[in-house]
Amino acid sequence: MDFFKIYNESCMETMSRMEDESVNCIVTSPPYFAQRIYGNGEGEIGLATKPTDYIDSLVSVFSEAHRVLKKDGNLFVNIGDTYN
């Protein structure tokens, strides 16, 4: 896996090819629930109809992130909500 390359694909696809405990730092801003359509198709994070399904998607991603993150690694997550 080339770590000096940009992968234009699902993070789950990319992480699936990474070795366990191979990453020092992950910085992410996952799509917010029901806020935008990025055009990535069915299963796109944030397009779930129920908040629990959205959380389930995030849990799947962060479980895989935990697998690839080194024991002394860091994970930064920028996530928020909107209001009217």
Side-chain angles (χ1 to χ4, degrees):
M1 173 133 240
D2 186 354
F3 284 99
F4 299 103
K5 179 179 177 183
I6 295 173
Y7 293 89
N8 186 18
E9 62 188 3
S10 162
C11 64
M12 293 296 279
E13 289 178 51
T14 306
M15 288 190 294
S16 72
R17 295 191 305 274
M18 293 179 172
E19 295 180 25
D20 293 355
E21 299 181 32
S22 61
V23 177
N24 290 310
C25 181
I26 298 172
V27 180
T28 184
S29 178
Y32 298 168
F33 175 67
Q35 294 301 308
R36 291 180 182 81
I37 297 172
Y38 292 94
N40 295 327
E42 189 175 326
E44 181 178 319
I45 293 176
L47 295 184
T49 57
K50 299 185 295 189
T52 52
D53 293 339
Y54 171 69
I55 296 299
D56 289 344
S57 296
L58 292 181
V59 167
S60 295
V61 169
F62 290 121
S63 292
E64 188 68 358
H66 181 260
R67 181 188 67 78
V68 302
L69 198 62
K70 292 182 178 181
K71 297 261 188 247
D72 62 348
N74 293 291
L75 170 66
F76 297 91
V77 180
N78 176 41
I79 194 164
D81 200 355
T82 60
Y83 60 92
N84 291 323

